[in-house]
Amino acid sequence: MTITETTPVTALTRTYDLSVTTQGPLYPPSEIVDENGDFVVIGMINREGPDGTTVPEWGSAVVSPDSPLPPLGDKAPYTIVRELDVEPTAPDGQAALYTLPLPLPCNNYPMLFAPEQRPDAHQVERPSYPLHKAPIPDMRHEDGIKVREPIRLAQWVKARGQLTVHVPENRRSADFSFAFTGLIPNSLYTVMSLREHDLDPAGPTRPGPLGIPNAFISDENGMAHYRATLPNPFPEQAGGSNRVINVVVLWMSYQQNYGGAIGHFGLGGDIHAQLKLRGPSFQEFTTVPEA
């Protein structure tokens, strides 16, 4: 009889610092605009490189909505209005933030985010609103809205978040635990997962919640915690796999949660990315299906 030694499988835990952002995918360039309708971008900025190619670099800039729009999966240099100064005392820091108008400008992402709830989402037309005046459905003044003052860039960039991911020894699931400070106080937030094929030009998959329900509310000091467990979120990279590669923390301008959808309009229409990892992550984890 031959005895084969195997390496024991052990639990694995990693902790990540999230980065403040205003950006989901590269298009639209941001999920926030200013009063002029220009994108307020904190994230990957598409710039022209010395050899004429487009080079995305993490940074901050005000970007025109008339920037060239390539097909999904391609990149073109943004038309930059000016570099963005996020210091609290700078004029940009005091600028009020707005939702994107509908239909979304400079958008090449064809996804319906809530196909059962809002199959007509691409046909809806709405103006841009200050974040604190987004049209919350069925809201009445006497109901007591909690966010009443303009949300300014200097307040937005105070957000901080830390994520701890734990995969147990059986590797059938992963726990995601978040701790936040500096969020917009008294607000509804959600957390979405980004999977490796969600932005695949050949067949994008629909981004989904990181846990259901995926909602939490920041307290009066902008602090919050959130935790979720996902089954087999990191399958081996092979045909048919669709690993979680990033997480995005979303401020919800309509102050709603959408069950199995991340929003009705997405990408700055009713969800607004505030924290995420800067690039694809979690390569160190492998999970397996339930037995």
Side-chain angles (χ1 to χ4, degrees):
M1 181 177 67
T2 301
I3 299 177
T4 302
E5 294 186 359
T6 60
T7 302
V9 177
T10 59
L12 184 61
T13 302
R14 293 287 185 272
T15 298
Y16 310 83
D17 290 324
L18 303 177
S19 293
V20 70
T21 189
T22 61
Q23 185 184 63
L26 292 175
Y27 297 94
S30 173
E31 297 181 354
I32 295 287
V33 295
D34 62 18
E35 63 178 350
N36 300 316
D38 292 322
F39 294 109
V40 178
V41 188
I42 301 174
M44 300 300 290
I45 310 292
N46 284 345
R47 302 180 187 271
E48 184 173 352
D51 58 354
T53 61
T54 301
V55 180
E57 296 179 340
W58 191 273
S60 55
V62 177
V63 171
S64 170
D66 297 322
S67 295
L69 183 63
L72 177 64
D74 293 344
K75 298 183 290 292
Y78 292 158
T79 301
I80 295 176
V81 177
R82 66 179 187 279
E83 302 302 318
L84 184 65
D85 188 347
V86 301
E87 290 298 319
T89 56
D92 285 335
Q94 294 305 307
L97 305 180
Y98 287 67
T99 70
L100 271 61
L102 299 176
L104 300 173
C106 204
N107 174 41
N108 62 10
Y109 194 44
M111 186 60 60
L112 273 175
F113 295 97
E116 294 182 10
Q117 301 171 53
R118 200 66 196 253
D120 64 338
H122 291 331
Q123 281 74 54
V124 175
E125 297 184 10
R126 289 183 184 173
S128 175
Y129 297 92
L131 290 187
H132 72 297
K133 290 186 176 181
I136 298 172
D138 299 314
M139 187 196 78
R140 302 170 301 185
H141 176 75
E142 61 266 29
D143 295 329
I145 186 171
K146 295 180 180 178
V147 179
R148 296 192 296 259
E149 298 297 326
I151 296 172
R152 305 185 188 279
L153 183 62
Q155 183 180 20
W156 189 265
V157 300
K158 289 180 180 179
R160 299 291 183 270
Q162 192 169 76
L163 163 65
T164 297
V165 179
H166 173 74
V167 172
E169 290 185 17
N170 65 26
R171 297 193 298 153
R172 294 174 183 168
S173 62
D175 298 321
F176 298 79
S177 299
F178 298 81
F180 302 105
T181 61
L183 299 178
I184 307 302
N186 300 312
S187 292
L188 182 72
Y189 280 85
T190 65
V191 185
M192 64 165 276
S193 63
L194 183 70
R195 294 181 181 263
E196 58 183 328
H197 295 308
D198 285 352
L199 299 175
D200 182 0
T205 50
R206 179 163 61 91
L210 188 85
I212 297 177
N214 66 329
F216 66 90
I217 297 174
S218 57
D219 69 14
E220 64 273 15
N221 297 311
M223 300 179 67
H225 292 85
Y226 179 74
R227 183 178 180 275
T229 300
L230 264 59
N232 191 22
F234 309 120
E236 290 187 1
Q237 291 178 315
S241 70
N242 200 11
R243 293 170 57 93
V244 173
I245 60 171
N246 208 329
V247 298
V248 188
V249 180
L250 306 168
W251 190 81
M252 308 300 286
S253 53
Y254 289 18
Q255 297 300 296
Q256 286 187 304
N257 177 244
Y258 299 93
I262 60 171
H264 280 172
F265 307 108
L267 305 182
D270 56 347
I271 67 174
H272 310 272
Q274 191 175 12
L275 290 166
K276 67 177 183 179
L277 298 167
R278 291 193 179 188
S281 303
F282 312 130
Q283 295 89 345
E284 65 268 41
F285 295 109
T286 302
T287 53
V288 298
E290 294 184 2

